[in-house]
Amino acid sequence: MDIRQERPFQKPRRTVQRVFLHCSASDRPEDDAIEVIRRWHLERGFSEVGYHYFIRKNGLLEPGRSLERIPAAQKGHNRNTIAICLHGLHKERFTEEQFDALRDVALGIHDAYDGEISFHGHCEVSPKACPVFDYREVLALDRFGTLGLSGVQSGKQYPSVEEEPRLSLGSRGPAVEHLQELLFVRVDGIYGPRTERALKRFCLAEGLPVGVGVEPAHWRRLLGRVALRDGAV
Ligand SMILES: [Zn+2]
């Protein structure tokens, strides 16, 4: 089953423009739980744990503060943000399970906001190393902090440009799934309005024709990016 069908993210009513990533600054197994972080934060006088999500070393995503409330996580930069914390201190001790869980929730957030949201490290607004791990690489962020092509499985073999069919609004099937992976939107094999919007953003960014569906020129550019990513060219 595709885990991305079951995203935990529900868009709050307040405005959100940025997501900030944190680490717990501990590698101790006994600290690997939102309850421990909550206790630390309550001891510091917070009314509730400061983060919206906590990701354990085993990849379990634990909800924290309600998404309807602004976080207490990036002093002076909390408004209009979501805060996610991964358990860990040393760069090499974060786990692939954590990164998978982070990509999954990030993808859910990116989708819910139609890509109009950016991802940042705490270190970008504070003289701290937090979140320590290379979040730009994990989320394939561009220089604006927009989620990149992490939806594509590295090394996955896609058909060639000649083998991929022309697609338009309403198309269905495996080629639409490829398209959705390449555009980094939810994969359901149905080319609907969400996929169309993502395609439009891609076309505008890449200088490709908009509103004609997916033609060989589009596949060439989309598949070329996979080849670049995998070092095949
Ligand atoms: Zn932090």
Side-chain angles (χ1 to χ4, degrees):
M1 186 185 66
D2 186 344
I3 192 165
R4 284 176 295 178
Q5 302 300 321
E6 290 193 310
R7 297 219 188 107
F9 183 75
Q10 289 285 332
K11 198 171 162 179
R13 286 181 296 275
R14 71 187 173 93
T15 301
V16 176
Q17 294 163 325
R18 293 189 293 175
V19 177
F20 276 95
L21 306 173
H22 299 264
C23 65
S24 63
S26 164
D27 278 319
R28 298 178 353 149
E30 58 269 40
D31 296 339
D32 189 0
I34 188 85
E35 278 315 315
V36 176
I37 312 295
R38 176 174 285 119
R39 203 179 65 228
W40 290 350
H41 286 184
L42 293 180
E43 283 167 8
R44 283 166 58 184
F46 293 11
S47 59
E48 165 60 310
V49 63
Y51 308 119
H52 296 110
Y53 292 109
F54 183 75
I55 302 177
R56 296 171 70 154
K57 296 264 187 183
N58 66 4
L60 185 71
L61 180 83
E62 294 188 303
R65 175 175 295 225
S66 162
L67 284 163
E68 295 296 349
R69 294 188 56 197
I70 66 170
Q74 314 86 219
K75 202 161 193 262
H77 302 271
N78 284 312
R79 195 166 289 281
N80 301 343
T81 72
I82 288 171
I84 302 174
C85 178
L86 276 69
H87 186 50
L89 170 61
H90 293 99
K91 188 176 176 174
E92 64 282 3
R93 294 180 68 179
F94 290 90
T95 67
E96 278 309 312
E97 287 80 6
Q98 285 180 299
F99 294 156
D100 282 344
L102 175 60
R103 288 186 195 104
D104 196 48
V105 70
L107 185 54
I109 295 170
H110 172 92
D111 252 17
Y113 289 94
D114 279 333
E116 300 291 320
I117 193 157
S118 56
F119 295 79
H120 306 271
H122 188 187
C123 55
E124 292 177 48
V125 295
S126 161
K128 295 181 178 194
C130 182
V132 181
F133 65 92
D134 192 349
Y135 60 94
R136 292 182 178 282
E137 189 186 319
V138 170
L139 294 179
L141 300 179
D142 70 11
R143 63 199 168 98
F144 305 109
T146 306
L147 218 55
L149 287 170
S150 294
V152 179
Q153 287 163 19
S154 190
K156 176 168 175 174
Q157 292 298 308
Y158 287 89
S160 67
V161 171
E162 295 72 32
E163 291 167 304
E164 294 283 23
R166 286 171 190 266
L167 300 173
S168 54
L169 204 57
S171 297
R172 286 169 182 252
V176 176
E177 291 180 10
H178 298 161
L179 175 68
Q180 291 171 326
E181 287 174 3
L182 295 166
L183 290 173
F184 209 7
V185 293
R186 184 179 307 147
V187 177
D188 63 3
I190 302 165
Y191 181 162
R194 188 185 296 274
T195 305
E196 179 74 353
R197 282 196 297 274
L199 179 68
K200 186 178 176 191
R201 281 199 305 275
F202 176 76
C203 291
L204 292 173
E206 297 281 326
L208 288 163
V210 175
V212 297
V214 182
E215 300 188 330
H218 297 84
W219 284 119
R220 206 166 288 122
R221 197 70 61 86
L222 286 161
L223 294 166
R225 280 165 55 145
V226 179
L228 274 175
R229 206 182 115 104
D230 288 348
V233 290

